[in-house]
Amino acid sequence: MKKIINDPSTVVAESLRGFALAHADLVTVQEDPAVVYRADAPVPGKVALISGGGSGHEPMHGGYVGRGMLSAACPGAVFTSPTPDQMQDAITKTDGGAGVLLIVKNYTGDVLNFETAAELAAAEDVEVRSVVVDDDVAVKDSLYTAGRRGVGGTVLLEKIVGAAAERGDDLAACEALANRVIANVRSMGLALTACTVPHVGEPSFDLAEDEIEVGIGIHGEPGRQKMKIAPADELVDRLLDPILEDLPFTAGDRVLLFTNSMGGTPPIELYLAHGIAERKLADAGITVERRFVGPYITSLEMQGMSFTLLKLDDEMVGLWDAPVHTPALRWGV
Amino acid sequence: MKKIINDPSTVVAESLRGFALAHADLVTVQEDPAVVYRADAPVPGKVALISGGGSGHEPMHGGYVGRGMLSAACPGAVFTSPTPDQMQDAITKTDGGAGVLLIVKNYTGDVLNFETAAELAAAEDVEVRSVVVDDDVAVKDSLYTAGRRGVGGTVLLEKIVGAAAERGDDLAACEALANRVIANVRSMGLALTACTVPHVGEPSFDLAEDEIEVGIGIHGEPGRQKMKIAPADELVDRLLDPILEDLPFTAGDRVLLFTNSMGGTPPIELYLAHGIAERKLADAGITVERRFVGPYITSLEMQGMSFTLLKLDDEMVGLWDAPVHTPALRWGV
């Protein structure tokens, strides 16, 4: 295993230390329990938004903490759910009196631990609601999931609901909006290579020299099928067709197209795939109104990509465009 | 070779097509000769800034075209200099009457072709000046270079001089500022893995399972030495010590620390290395006033990283902080 680390057991803590130094103007990083806080938390009268999950998917979620997005993020060990004490600390310290919305990706560990933390917080009279993102159309149940997995849609949700919380929407409105995003977002990904979890020390699965895995999750868990590498035109079809059929997306829809790198796929390939997808959507009569292209929800160094498609309405477009200032996303400010 | 492409011979053109669709609000992409233009070029009375180089280093340079940075970028084939006709087209179409500054990374092909283009433009009475970036302390001469290579310092220069041009500095002032950046910036990188150029189809060099290359260039050209992978603390020393000794940087200096991923190194490792470097600089009495962490000058999917250190003065800090709006960098707007 070749990685720029000192010791597999301290990777997350040491990485957070560097992240804290790099972004001290935006976030405060608490080491134990590990939580990334918006520097000005709690914001009185504002709904707090909290997410979290295993590390290794950066910039998700710590990179999305800041004005117009998350109030706090709880990083677990690599590909491992954070613990209820992290979440409880985050809830207590970000609650500004307007309640807390937990944004949970649908993985069994995350769901259970966030539930426990919500119960503990409720006992302390903090109003807590949860939403569960399950946008991955690839598989119904998986290695780590009952039901669909939560993937790229989570990033879009955090941006859109983050903007709503920032403008002063109350907890019920934020929850309803989050569920509207969940109802209108679908994703699917593929992997060209596996990634290596530091404390495991070897690739999380095997792929032959000419083989890819379609329908992959963000932890390297199996997808729909292994197949031979094919031209990009075909790969885009393999991802986009199941997404379009699922919701379904149809002619006349307005969408945000999010073309995501799993980490190791370079921009030159990502933009190539993005272009094919845009033209395919145009041919289907679907209007791409907003684009988002880059490594925004990753699996360490894995080569691969995913598409996420969100059916937009006017309110979502406005909230997407609203100012955001976090370590990983910044515009309008 | 596993890549998300259709055909090695059309990778750059197809990628530019996707880039054009994704960023139509910011840039105009001309297919033949291939040039990425700022959407509002030429800007009357403003010095035009042009750069270019082989593709495969994205977001450099096309991702840096826009307000507060470059006027145009000329993308060559992967790891291959663009041609004089691309540069000449860029000069002609961005000149707003205040002259053109060419920002050239020190690679033999780039230098020759930009020189030819400058001569052709001069014959058409466009005032053209050139600056050559050569910030890589790893090697004096290399496979593609007489003298030092131009690497990460280029990105910082494009941001700082881009802001100066935007506020109305004239050509002589932009040129002098660019040379001041060049005089104060130093870089060095290492690779954990090689990358594969699409039209070559196999990795550009060999590294054993436990081996890294220190002092690597951005094309996979050999560096100072191969060595066994070592703890991050030692790797940071191997990069930072030669940088500090070279200028030299000394106690009391104010710096921008740019921690760059070669493409395939994930944020969790990059921030870990960044944190070590910040503490090392603090120990040396050097003040890190600005940070820049991410994959901003890459070598396709190569795993590895580089540090770039720029000695700052007040004017440079102000220009670094000034608004920028390009596909890859955006703040203050």
Side-chain angles (χ1 to χ4, degrees), chain B residues 107-120:
Chain B
Y107 294 95
T108 307
D110 293 31
V111 171
L112 286 175
N113 289 345
F114 270 112
E115 266 174 18
T116 303
E119 283 163 16
L120 293 167

Side-chain angles (χ1 to χ4, degrees), chain A residues 43-111:
Chain A
V43 181
K46 179 188 159 298
V47 171
L49 259 56
I50 297 172
S51 194
S55 292
H57 307 301
E58 290 73 20
M60 192 181 74
H61 297 275
Y64 302 135
V65 173
R67 185 180 147 199
M69 221 161 160
L70 296 178
S71 308
C74 306
V78 174
F79 292 0
T80 304
S81 172
T83 50
D85 63 314
Q86 292 173 269
M87 297 159 181
Q88 201 191 352
D89 196 280
I91 291 169
T92 309
K93 291 192 180 146
T94 59
D95 178 36
V100 178
L101 183 67
L102 305 177
I103 300 167
V104 187
K105 299 192 302 302
N106 190 35
Y107 295 95
T108 306
D110 293 31
V111 171

Side-chain angles (χ1 to χ4, degrees), chain B residues 57 104-108 110-111 132-154 182 185-191 213-225 239 262 297 302 306 308:
Chain B
H57 307 300
V104 187
K105 298 192 302 304
N106 191 33
Y107 294 95
T108 307
D110 293 31
V111 171
V132 178
V133 190
D134 59 349
D135 55 320
D136 188 344
V137 304
V139 291
K140 287 255 161 52
D141 298 296
S142 80
L143 204 54
Y144 304 105
T145 326
R148 289 176 164 185
R149 301 172 297 212
V151 289
T154 316
I182 291 168
V185 71
R186 297 293 185 274
S187 300
M188 189 156 150
L190 61 79
E213 175 97 34
V214 178
I216 197 83
I218 54 172
H219 305 94
E221 61 269 39
R224 285 191 173 189
Q225 60 168 143
L239 295 184
M262 302 303 280
I297 170 171
M302 183 188 285
S306 63
T308 295

Side-chain angles (χ1 to χ4, degrees), chain B residues 66-133:
Chain B
R67 183 179 147 200
M69 223 162 158
L70 296 178
S71 308
C74 306
V78 174
F79 292 1
T80 304
S81 172
T83 50
D85 63 316
Q86 291 173 270
M87 299 160 180
Q88 201 190 353
D89 196 279
I91 292 168
T92 310
K93 292 192 180 148
T94 59
D95 179 37
V100 177
L101 183 67
L102 305 178
I103 300 167
V104 187
K105 298 192 302 304
N106 191 33
Y107 294 95
T108 307
D110 293 31
V111 171
L112 286 175
N113 289 345
F114 270 112
E115 266 174 18
T116 303
E119 283 163 16
L120 293 167
E124 290 176 24
D125 286 333
V126 180
E127 197 181 5
V128 181
R129 306 271 177 89
S130 297
V131 293
V132 178
V133 190

Side-chain angles (χ1 to χ4, degrees), chain A residues 85-320:
Chain A
D85 63 314
Q86 292 173 269
M87 297 159 181
Q88 201 191 352
D89 196 280
I91 291 169
T92 309
K93 291 192 180 146
T94 59
D95 178 36
V100 178
L101 183 67
L102 305 177
I103 300 167
V104 187
K105 299 192 302 302
N106 190 35
Y107 295 95
T108 306
D110 293 31
V111 171
L112 285 174
N113 289 345
F114 270 112
E115 266 174 18
T116 303
E119 283 163 17
L120 293 168
E124 291 177 23
D125 286 334
V126 180
E127 197 180 5
V128 181
R129 306 270 177 90
S130 297
V131 295
V132 178
V133 190
D134 60 348
D135 55 320
D136 188 344
V137 304
V139 290
K140 286 253 161 54
D141 298 295
S142 80
L143 204 53
Y144 303 106
T145 325
R148 289 176 165 186
R149 301 172 298 212
V151 290
T154 315
V155 183
L156 309 186
L157 187 155
E158 290 175 1
K159 171 66 185 81
I160 288 169
V161 182
E166 201 70 44
R167 76 178 172 190
D169 284 17
D170 66 18
L171 184 57
C174 287
E175 183 189 20
L177 175 64
N179 283 318
R180 199 164 95 230
V181 172
I182 292 168
N184 285 285
V185 70
R186 296 293 186 273
S187 300
M188 189 156 149
L190 60 80
L192 276 64
T193 63
C195 58
T196 298
V197 175
H199 61 261
V200 176
E202 54 189 42
S204 43
F205 59 99
D206 290 316
L207 277 177
E209 274 300 305
D210 60 350
E211 209 177 32
I212 67 170
E213 174 96 34
V214 178
I216 197 82
I218 55 173
H219 306 94
E221 62 270 39
R224 287 191 173 191
Q225 60 168 143
K226 290 185 179 180
M227 59 176 271
K228 299 263 182 205
I229 182 76
D233 285 332
E234 184 183 334
L235 298 181
V236 169
D237 285 345
R238 294 268 182 165
L239 295 183
L240 216 45
D241 287 344
I243 291 173
L244 292 173
E245 287 158 16
D246 191 89
L247 192 62
F249 294 87
T250 53
D253 283 346
R254 306 155 59 192
V255 299
L256 184 158
L257 171 60
F258 169 23
T259 304
N260 177 61
S261 163
M262 302 303 280
T265 284
I268 199 168
E269 294 175 44
L270 203 62
Y271 277 111
L272 189 151
H274 179 82
I276 297 169
E278 279 227 23
R279 289 190 296 279
K280 189 176 161 70
L281 292 170
D283 289 345
I286 295 168
T287 305
V288 180
E289 277 197 16
R290 292 294 181 276
R291 290 92 177 162
F292 192 49
V293 185
Y296 292 114
I297 170 170
T298 63
S299 299
L300 296 170
E301 71 279 8
M302 182 189 284
Q303 289 179 37
M305 63 165 298
S306 62
F307 287 120
T308 295
L309 215 58
L310 170 65
K311 192 188 291 194
L312 292 168
D313 54 43
D314 285 341
E315 186 184 24
M316 286 191 214
V317 171
L319 292 167
W320 177 259

